[in-house]
Amino acid sequence: MRHETRRATENVATAPIKFLNAAEVATHLDVSRSTVYNLIASGRLPAHCMGGGKIRPRGLRVPESAVTAYLAGSTITPKAVA
């Protein structure tokens, strides 16, 4: 009996998601870390909690794609002056 060799379907893996901490996000956005925490608390910047702390949550990480999307969504176009 002859075995058929089937070609496995190729699984094209996407690039791994890069996560940034609050200090790195602050550097990208040129704002303070407290502003980054305020953006996360208001829901304007999504974040994942990768760890816990006794007093406050630690280990907040923001996907780099979310920072890029936030910057893209915050651009403004100047109005034409009449």
Side-chain angles (χ1 to χ4, degrees):
M1 185 177 260
R2 193 171 186 186
H3 293 303
E4 287 185 33
T5 55
R6 289 187 173 173
R7 190 172 184 169
T9 58
E10 291 184 30
N11 184 5
V12 180
T14 59
I17 299 173
K18 182 177 179 184
F19 289 98
L20 305 173
N21 62 26
E24 293 168 333
V25 174
T27 302
H28 281 302
L29 298 179
D30 196 25
V31 296
S32 67
R33 282 188 313 168
S34 59
T35 300
V36 172
Y37 288 120
N38 287 335
L39 288 170
I40 292 169
S42 69
R44 294 179 4 202
L45 193 62
H48 300 276
C49 188
M50 303 287 190
K54 292 182 180 179
I55 298 173
R56 62 179 178 188
R58 302 223 182 231
L60 286 176
R61 299 290 184 263
V62 178
E64 189 175 36
S65 59
V67 176
T68 305
Y70 178 79
L71 285 173
S74 66
T75 55
I76 59 170
T77 56
K79 295 181 180 180
V81 178

